């Protein structure tokens, strides 16, 4: 079954404690991205990746890091989480053949609370 | 001003009603997506279209490229259709990168039995 898997689904952590949210897709997609969703603001892009070892900032990258060492995985790293990073996070992937993007597949979301 | 605008923000309907959600965009796009987000939070892609019309069951999506407008229609609505519907545009050369999705704020639909 084609899917994007995020873990964990729920996480409560304390300010400053490094954490990683994992994202894995089984569709051999080139394009992967991370979004955060906040009430009244909708979904905003944090980082994206066009392919292995190719990543770039989205609209709200501050306080986040990503890596793309393998095609299937695109972890989101919060080196020193702060309460303003409390949000619902989504990973997504899509195919990227010759600059034509296809349907986006989303993970189930990670609800993060930083206290 | 947001590059992708949706209306209405909230919509309450009676079971069986015909529903329309609108999406207007101001950027150049290669595709327009309609997404559904259920109360549990997960997001699924309903449609991706770049022209014309697509139909899947009771859902119909249309796009008018000249007018930069898309609509999502739900026929014979049912309480299980209650969800947030999000319009997203695959932008061309937005923020220096092709392929990034620009999202509308979503339309919260509630269908009453």
């Amino acid at each position: 079954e084609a899917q994007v898997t995020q873990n964990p689904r729920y996480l409560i952590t304390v300010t400053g404690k490094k954490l990683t949210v994992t994202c894995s897709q089984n569709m051999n997609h080139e394009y992967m991205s991370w979004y955060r969703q906040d009430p009244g603001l909708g979904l905003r892009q944090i980082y994206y990746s066009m392919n292995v070892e190719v990543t770039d900032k989205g609209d709200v990258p501050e306080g986040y890091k990503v890596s793309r060492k393998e095609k299937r995985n695109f972890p989101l790293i919060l080196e020193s989480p702060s309460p303003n990073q409390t949000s619902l996070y989504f990973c997504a992937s899509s195919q990227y053949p010759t600059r034509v993007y296809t349907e986006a597949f989303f993970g189930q979301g990670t609800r993060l609370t930083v206290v | 001003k947001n590059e992708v605008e949706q209306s209405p923000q909230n919509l309450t309907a009676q079971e069986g009603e015909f529903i329309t959600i609108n999406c207007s965009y101001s950027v150049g796009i290669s595709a327009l997506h309609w997404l559904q987000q259920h109360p549990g939070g997960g997001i699924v892609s309903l449609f991706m279209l770049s022209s014309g019309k697509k139909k899947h069951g009771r859902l119909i999506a249309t796009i008018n490229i000249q007018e930069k407008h898309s609509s999502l229609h739900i026929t014979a609505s049912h309480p299980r259709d209650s969800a947030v519907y999000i319009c997203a545009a695959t932008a061309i050369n937005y923020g220096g990168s092709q392929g990034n999705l620009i999202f509308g704020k979503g339309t919260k639909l509630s269908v009453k039995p």
Side-chain angles (χ1 to χ4, degrees):
Chain A
E1 181 192 350
Q3 61 184 6
V4 177
T5 303
Q6 278 180 244
N7 279 297
R9 291 287 310 278
Y10 302 92
L11 179 59
I12 301 174
T13 190
V14 296
T15 299
K17 185 176 181 183
K18 180 179 178 179
L19 66 92
T20 299
V21 184
T22 63
C23 174
S24 181
Q25 50 93 4
N26 63 359
M27 296 163 280
N28 203 37
H29 284 168
E30 288 91 355
Y31 186 88
M32 297 185 74
S33 57
W34 276 103
Y35 303 94
R36 60 178 289 173
Q37 186 180 37
D38 302 289
L41 297 176
L43 284 148
R44 294 177 293 168
Q45 190 179 55
I46 303 170
Y47 269 94
Y48 63 95
S49 170
M50 298 279 205
N51 214 324
V52 175
E53 301 293 2
V54 181
T55 64
D56 210 344
K57 297 177 181 178
D59 297 320
V60 288
E62 293 77 23
Y64 304 95
K65 285 174 56 178
V66 293
S67 69
R68 188 91 182 273
K69 293 183 173 23
E70 308 163 277
K71 202 171 189 179
R72 63 183 291 122
N73 295 323
F74 190 44
L76 179 69
I77 303 155
L78 284 73
E79 294 271 3
S80 182
S82 61
N84 65 12
Q85 292 178 297
T86 293
S87 187
L88 179 58
Y89 291 87
F90 288 97
C91 177
S93 75
S94 60
Q95 192 64 292
Y96 178 47
T98 61
R99 297 182 178 274
V100 176
Y101 290 82
T102 60
E103 178 186 1
F105 291 79
F106 287 81
Q108 284 298 99
T110 295
R111 191 168 291 281
L112 172 66
T113 302
V114 184
V115 299
Chain B
K1 182 185 183 302
N2 294 325
E3 287 82 6
V4 177
E5 298 267 9
Q6 274 184 251
S7 63
Q9 199 171 342
N10 292 283
L11 181 55
T12 300
Q14 286 299 127
E15 184 173 355
E17 285 184 359
F18 180 84
I19 288 163
T20 296
I21 300 171
N22 294 300
C23 176
S24 297
Y25 55 92
S26 58
V27 294
I29 70 168
S30 58
L32 193 289
H33 306 253
W34 282 101
L35 311 170
Q36 182 189 55
Q37 185 173 25
H38 273 283
I43 296 175
V44 296
S45 175
L46 297 174
F47 295 103
M48 188 188 78
L49 64 166
S50 54
S51 65
K53 175 179 172 178
K54 286 190 176 180
K55 185 175 189 290
H56 186 258
R58 295 180 294 105
L59 273 61
I60 303 166
T62 64
I63 188 168
N64 184 317
I65 299 295
Q66 287 72 30
E67 294 185 6
K68 294 190 172 181
H69 181 270
S70 176
S71 293
L72 176 68
H73 305 285
I74 305 175
T75 61
S77 60
H78 190 275
R80 65 174 174 265
D81 296 325
S82 298
V84 175
Y85 292 85
I86 301 169
C87 169
T90 302
I92 298 172
N93 290 327
Y94 178 78
S97 168
Q98 287 193 348
N100 289 341
L101 286 173
I102 309 172
F103 296 89
K105 296 264 174 77
T107 295
K108 185 174 182 180
L109 171 64
S110 178
V111 182
K112 306 292 186 189

